[in-house]
Amino acid sequence: MKAEERWQARFRAPRMTLPTWARQAPNRSIYRSNATGTWELYAWDRTAGVTRQVTEQPKGTAHAAIDPTGQWIYWFADPEGDELGGWMRQPFNGGPDEPVDPSIRAGHPGGIMLSATGAAAISLAGEGSFRIHLVQPGEPTALIYEHTEAGWVADISLDGSLIAINHGEYGDFRRPALRVVRPSGDTVAELYDGPDKGVVGLRFAPIMGDRRLLTLHERRSRHEPLVWDPASGEQREIWLKDPGDLNAEWYADGRALLITREDRARSYLHRYDLGGGGLTPIETPHGVIDEAAPRPGGHVEYSWSSGSRPPVVRSSNGQVVMNPAGPPAPPSVPVEDIDVEGPGGRVHALISRPENGAAPYPTVFLLHGGPTAQDRDSYSPEVAAWVDSGYAVVRVNFRGSTGYGTAWRDALHGDVGHIELADVAAVREWVVARGVADPERLVLAGTAWGGFLALLGMGIQPDHWRAGIAAVPIACHQTCYEDEAESLRAYQRSLFGGSPDEQPERYAASSPITYVDRVKGPVLILAGENDTRCPLRQIEKYVAKLAEHGREHEIYTYDAVRGSLVVSERIAQMALQLDFARKHTRH
């Protein structure tokens, strides 16, 4: 298979998410798949062995849920692909779609949580506020929460009597507090650990009448599980000696927790017995687990991949649970770990080397989004496409990344963008000095926050990079703030210490448009016309400045928001990036 056919086959290979099942009807599941060429929602009746497609939206479906009884499937209707819409539902076995409540005005989705009593707690944002609506059978829809700072529903108890809400009312969207309320909106209790330690609500215990709420706290400089009874105030912290950030999920009987540990770009599973406190490792292949959940009976299903092996839904009993029909994705190359001393501490990075050619390679630094995200040893069609085209790929878990503790994640205060790029520069120096990367053929690339860093790097490190590629980037923080969704405004206020009016110098110092006159290399920008996170107007302002200063650039716009859910669009964008890089990194 030729290189181009090979990388395109990876994008076209059908993929699926981990099936999510109804708590009280575990043989009824839903999952999302790109089998049709667009990410859509599917229902799977495990007893009958039957699957069916539930949604068909022009831009794909990103958000869905199944109610605990397995009677209804919920999905977010987003026909324009701009993340603005409302929730619909459909019977599990098929039937007409209906709005959950037509009186709820459209907004940006913050989640939906469902009880066994038919109640739905719905988070939406828009028009300057964050709202949580409670829809109950036979009752008028109630607005149980509204605030100008970010708030979203974490979960609703199985019996519908308690609703958990994460919020940033104390001024820090990135380190939220947790409040539990009754359906009336009256507060039962609140968990707040102070301005530097967030508390994130996960799930209520999967037992009718059980008030215990599983949460994550940051009392020891990383995410760790906590079981909290909001009525009694009882708290139980779960501690592991192993390094890495932790996440957790209930076992079906409420007597144990499944703990997922993320450490140095890999995932590990453990079972924690709440009765005796015993911790048991669950054997999984070396790589990354995107999602994991315990099934009734005690085994665990999880979605797994590695840098060299494509994703598969596995079970801890040794079986493959399900794969979408169609040709499998071709494998790729394994990743190599490096550790580099940076200005703020040791930086962990991943390198993927091409199978052909000799070092030093033309190299792309592919920067992740977020910034509260991380690059991991997981399967990436984008990384594999670069590798098949003869490029080494370097991915840096710079300060601001998750997975390395809260101090590393929260290190961006006061010098946003410049801190991350200082770490990138240290890794660049390392790979050049060791003959991995050709310093004359370096491309700086990224999507969303990574796209912002790519544009900023082209301005503040112009001699480091031969060319830059920025997909759906932030180019001007102030203009972006004016146009973006409410949740992103809240995030920016938290990150910069206020709004652009309150912190104009910080916003300007971190904006690529401030440094556009220093750009030397050519720049390719990809922008979604309906993007509400990195809106088009601020990108157009940046492009106009590039033109004003006579800087070489190309811009590509497409009718979708951010990363497209349409496979053909992703292939077109990947081809465009590869062609641009080849044009500017030839000897």
Side-chain angles (χ1 to χ4, degrees):
M1 185 183 292
K2 295 180 180 179
E4 184 173 2
E5 295 175 349
R6 185 177 171 86
W7 74 252
Q8 290 193 13
R10 294 193 186 92
F11 282 91
R12 291 196 175 98
R15 299 180 67 169
M16 64 179 291
T17 61
L18 182 73
T20 301
W21 50 86
R23 287 186 179 186
Q24 295 181 325
N27 286 326
R28 291 189 167 192
S29 302
I30 60 170
Y31 63 90
R32 292 190 311 118
S33 173
N34 66 348
T36 64
T38 303
W39 281 92
E40 295 292 0
L41 179 64
Y42 293 78
W44 176 27
D45 185 328
R46 297 185 183 218
T47 302
V50 174
T51 63
R52 69 175 185 87
Q53 185 174 336
V54 176
T55 59
E56 187 173 1
Q57 298 194 85
K59 305 299 191 299
T61 302
H63 307 284
I66 185 170
D67 88 286
T69 68
Q71 298 300 307
W72 292 95
I73 296 171
Y74 292 72
W75 53 278
F76 190 74
D78 177 22
E80 301 301 322
D82 58 0
E83 297 183 299
L84 183 66
W87 285 93
M88 306 288 290
R89 71 176 190 172
Q90 181 186 121
F92 181 84
N93 288 321
D97 297 317
E98 62 181 47
V100 175
D101 188 327
S103 70
I104 300 175
R105 65 184 187 272
H108 297 279
I112 186 170
M113 296 298 163
L114 306 165
S115 78
T117 63
I122 299 171
S123 301
L124 293 168
E127 301 174 355
S129 70
F130 295 82
R131 309 179 302 276
I132 299 177
H133 302 270
L134 183 63
V135 182
Q136 300 185 87
E139 299 284 342
T141 293
L143 181 64
I144 61 170
Y145 182 89
E146 185 170 21
H147 204 278
T148 54
E149 291 297 334
W152 63 98
V153 62
D155 197 20
I156 184 170
S157 61
L158 201 58
D159 63 6
S161 65
L162 298 173
I163 301 158
I165 297 170
N166 269 118
H167 66 83
E169 291 178 18
Y170 306 129
D172 197 342
F173 172 74
R174 295 180 300 144
R175 305 178 191 88
L178 178 61
R179 181 176 300 152
V180 172
V181 303
R182 296 185 178 90
S184 62
D186 295 336
T187 298
V188 175
E190 181 153 299
L191 203 54
Y192 178 54
D193 283 347
D196 298 321
K197 297 179 177 67
V199 183
V200 179
L202 297 179
R203 301 295 298 272
F204 282 101
I207 309 295
M208 289 293 283
D210 197 325
R211 303 174 309 205
R212 292 176 300 163
L213 177 61
L214 181 59
T215 74
L216 296 176
H217 69 84
E218 297 179 319
R219 296 169 184 173
R220 286 181 288 268
S221 300
R222 66 171 179 173
H223 275 133
E224 294 179 333
L226 167 72
V227 178
W228 176 43
D229 184 331
S232 69
E234 181 182 355
Q235 299 180 25
R236 177 173 178 179
E237 297 182 14
I238 313 299
W239 181 80
L240 270 69
K241 62 180 175 58
D242 301 295
D245 277 352
L246 308 179
N247 205 338
E249 176 60 280
W250 294 99
Y251 273 80
D253 59 6
R255 298 176 180 174
L257 301 178
L258 174 68
I259 296 178
T260 305
R261 182 169 61 89
E262 297 283 344
D263 182 44
R264 289 181 57 80
R266 276 90 183 178
S267 308
Y268 306 88
L269 295 181
H270 309 263
R271 177 189 167 103
Y272 182 85
D273 177 30
L274 288 167
L279 186 70
T280 307
I282 298 172
E283 185 176 349
T284 59
H286 193 63
V288 168
I289 295 166
D290 284 322
E291 299 175 275
R295 287 283 293 168
H299 61 283
V300 175
E301 293 182 355
Y302 58 94
S303 177
W304 174 93
S305 74
S306 71
S308 60
R309 307 303 301 180
V312 60
V313 177
R314 295 176 174 269
S315 171
S316 60
N317 63 17
Q319 297 177 346
V320 172
V321 176
M322 187 183 192
N323 272 325
S332 187
V333 299
V335 300
E336 169 190 343
D337 295 79
I338 63 169
D339 292 282
V340 177
E341 291 302 325
R346 183 169 293 182
V347 184
H348 180 218
L350 304 173
I351 300 177
S352 303
R353 301 179 186 238
E355 293 180 293
N356 300 314
Y361 305 104
T363 300
V364 57
F365 275 67
L366 197 58
L367 307 184
H368 69 69
T372 50
Q374 63 173 309
D375 278 311
R376 304 187 294 170
D377 180 15
S378 57
Y379 189 81
S380 167
E382 290 83 0
V383 170
W386 285 108
V387 169
D388 281 357
S389 300
Y391 288 82
V393 178
V394 179
R395 292 177 289 163
V396 182
N397 282 324
F398 42 74
R399 280 170 288 172
S401 303
T402 54
Y404 302 87
T406 55
W408 191 261
R409 183 201 67 193
D410 294 340
L412 302 187
H413 286 292
D415 208 9
V416 173
H418 299 264
I419 288 175
E420 302 98 298
L421 287 169
D423 292 344
V424 172
V427 176
R428 176 195 180 278
E429 182 180 351
W430 192 97
V431 294
V432 168
R434 283 157 181 76
V436 176
D438 182 344
E440 302 302 318
R441 295 188 291 167
L442 293 178
V443 178
L444 186 62
T447 298
W449 195 264
F452 149 62
L453 293 177
L455 291 186
L456 186 63
M458 293 301 290
I460 69 171
Q461 301 170 341
D463 296 322
H464 283 18
W465 313 106
R466 178 67 189 88
I469 300 174
V472 292
I474 299 172
C476 174
H477 281 288
Q478 178 174 346
T479 308
C480 190
Y481 185 91
E482 293 170 359
D483 296 351
E484 69 190 353
E486 294 298 334
S487 59
L488 274 298
R489 290 183 185 178
Y491 185 87
Q492 283 195 290
R493 289 193 298 270
S494 172
L495 194 61
F496 286 100
S499 69
D501 289 340
E502 296 166 322
Q503 299 288 350
E505 294 85 2
R506 291 184 180 179
Y507 278 74
S510 296
S511 290
I513 201 168
T514 303
Y515 311 96
V516 71
D517 60 322
R518 303 184 194 177
V519 173
K520 292 183 179 180
V523 176
L524 169 65
I525 299 174
L526 302 92
E529 294 172 356
N530 298 322
D531 196 342
T532 57
R533 302 191 191 189
C534 300
L536 187 60
R537 184 170 70 96
Q538 49 99 27
I539 295 173
E540 291 173 334
K541 288 179 67 172
Y542 180 85
V543 171
K545 285 287 186 181
L546 283 175
E548 179 183 322
H549 290 280
R551 301 304 191 254
E552 185 177 356
H553 65 279
E554 298 178 24
I555 183 166
Y556 171 84
T557 60
Y558 57 100
D559 182 21
V561 59
R562 296 173 67 78
S564 176
L565 298 175
V566 180
V567 172
S568 60
E569 178 60 40
R570 294 184 66 205
I571 291 175
Q573 292 183 26
M574 191 73 244
L576 186 68
Q577 295 178 60
L578 292 172
D579 289 344
F580 177 83
R582 290 191 196 103
K583 182 168 61 176
H584 296 290
T585 57
R586 292 193 184 104
H587 275 304

